[in-house]
Amino acid sequence: MQTMHYLNEFYSHYDEDGRLSKKHGSVEFLTTMRYIGKYIKPGDRVLEVGAGTGRYSHALARQGYTVDAVELIGHNIDVFQNNTQPGENISITQGNALDLSAFSDNTYDITLLLGPLYHLYTKEDKRQALREAIRVTRPGGVIFAAYVISDGCLLDEGFLRGNINVAEYVKTGLLDRETFAAKSEPKDLFELVRKEDVDELMRDFPTTRLHYVASDGCALLLRYAIDAMDDETFRLYLDYHFATCERADLLGITSHALDVFRK
Ligand SMILES: C[S@@+](CC[C@H](N)C(=O)[O-])C[C@H]1O[C@@H](n2cnc3c(N)ncnc32)[C@H](O)[C@@H]1O
């Protein structure tokens, strides 16, 4: 499958550890863990769909939770397995977020879908991944779904760092000339959305939104300033970020968003 080819290429060479070792790169992880921490309880069972190399799965297993993980790409599964420490109650299987039939209905207290929606290019596929995540979660359980947000990425990858040629994207139709809404295909790797798209995807699911969070807020846009902060200033920045990351007037500027909802 074409998508698999592009994902294999990307994730087999991606330096995730390098990104996370920088202060700006840690904001999204710390924010997501903070929100998971608001809902997870002793003895909970966790499923991580699209677990990658296992940042969240291993962190939660080391806190004593039972974690099952699913990941599409073999290279990530190898790294995930190498990262497993003695004493972790954890499993990983190769699988696709679109079909979790290896997992029973109503099983998990916490379900994480932190990545697959970045790489599903139609509404129907995104809804199918959400439907599967909801199915395997027990009634009352909490689901965490992450998205890449187009305006944050355009500002950071485009206007700040020039990794995206904005003029070219407009010319080729990847960005709408009037609204700057993004469009992508498997060759473009990342599917960029806005909050209105997330709201529309979620409209017909019988779930209750608990939080919609700008998980890295301005951290990528402010990467140079944040990486130069001493530890005390960075702690203050995190206090600011945690205090403001659900403010409606700051949501669109984030590069990643976290939708937290209850089944
Ligand atoms: C951005 S990474 C995030 C990994 C991890 N959840 C984290 O936050 O560190 C996205 C992950 O989703 C995986 N993925 C993409 N599409 C998937 C799918 N359809 N089913 C399962 N995993 C998928 C990718 O291989 C990759 O490991």
Side-chain angles (χ1 to χ4, degrees):
M1 135 194 164
Q2 201 192 16
T3 308
M4 203 55 192
H5 165 75
Y6 292 113
L7 288 179
N8 252 323
E9 271 296 296
F10 179 75
Y11 281 110
S12 299
H13 301 102
Y14 185 62
D15 178 16
E16 183 75 346
D17 291 340
R19 183 173 78 84
L20 293 173
S21 64
K22 300 269 176 59
K23 284 190 170 81
H24 79 268
S26 68
V27 173
E28 181 195 359
F29 176 80
L30 294 171
T31 305
T32 304
M33 286 300 282
R34 184 179 166 91
Y35 278 87
I36 295 171
K38 286 181 194 285
Y39 293 98
I40 200 164
K41 297 178 304 306
D44 273 359
R45 288 189 68 181
V46 178
L47 179 69
E48 182 170 15
V49 184
T53 56
R55 308 186 274 174
Y56 292 99
S57 289
H58 288 304
L60 293 169
R62 285 168 203 163
Q63 290 176 18
Y65 300 103
T66 302
V67 180
D68 293 322
V70 180
E71 168 56 41
L72 192 61
I73 303 295
H75 170 79
N76 286 348
I77 294 176
D78 293 343
V79 179
F80 185 107
Q81 283 168 333
N82 285 337
N83 287 344
T84 305
Q85 291 179 0
E88 285 184 35
N89 198 347
I90 200 164
S91 76
I92 180 147
T93 49
Q94 189 153 22
N96 194 319
L98 296 173
D99 175 10
L100 299 178
S101 52
F103 300 88
S104 308
D105 297 359
N106 303 322
T107 302
Y108 293 94
D109 304 286
I110 299 285
T111 302
L112 308 178
L113 188 64
L114 307 174
L117 295 165
Y118 304 176
H119 305 294
L120 294 170
Y121 306 92
T122 65
K123 281 183 192 159
E124 197 29 61
D125 277 356
K126 286 194 273 266
R127 285 203 181 105
Q128 174 62 15
L130 288 160
R131 193 175 298 118
E132 281 292 80
I134 293 166
R135 179 183 64 75
V136 298
T137 305
R138 69 160 177 80
V142 180
I143 297 136
F144 296 74
Y147 295 87
V148 185
I149 300 302
S150 64
D151 297 289
C153 286
L154 188 59
L155 290 166
D156 173 42
E157 297 280 351
F159 291 112
L160 179 66
R161 295 194 297 149
N163 292 340
I164 288 175
N165 182 332
V166 180
E168 191 63 24
Y169 271 41
V170 170
K171 205 158 93 193
T172 56
L174 286 176
L175 286 171
D176 183 277
R177 188 175 292 278
E178 300 289 321
T179 64
F180 285 83
K183 203 169 80 181
S184 41
E185 300 172 10
K187 70 169 174 43
D188 308 309
L189 269 174
F190 286 91
E191 167 76 353
L192 312 179
V193 298
R194 286 171 161 162
K195 180 171 181 290
E196 67 226 42
D197 304 312
V198 179
D199 291 343
E200 201 207 315
L201 281 176
M202 293 305 296
R203 204 183 44 208
D204 295 330
F205 288 115
T207 50
T208 306
R209 178 174 280 161
L210 301 168
H211 307 275
Y212 180 89
V213 184
S215 40
D216 42 17
C218 294
L220 303 197
L221 273 178
L222 294 178
R223 64 181 65 224
Y224 305 117
I226 289 176
D227 291 343
M229 286 175 185
D230 58 34
D231 290 349
E232 196 184 332
T233 313
F234 182 56
R235 272 195 298 275
L236 185 62
Y237 177 77
L238 285 178
D239 288 345
Y240 165 77
H241 169 70
F242 294 148
T244 57
C245 61
E246 289 188 56
R247 285 189 62 94
D249 51 358
L250 287 175
L251 291 178
I253 209 168
T254 191
S255 291
H256 297 88
L258 183 67
D259 199 19
V260 184
F261 51 94
R262 195 185 290 284
K263 176 171 175 181

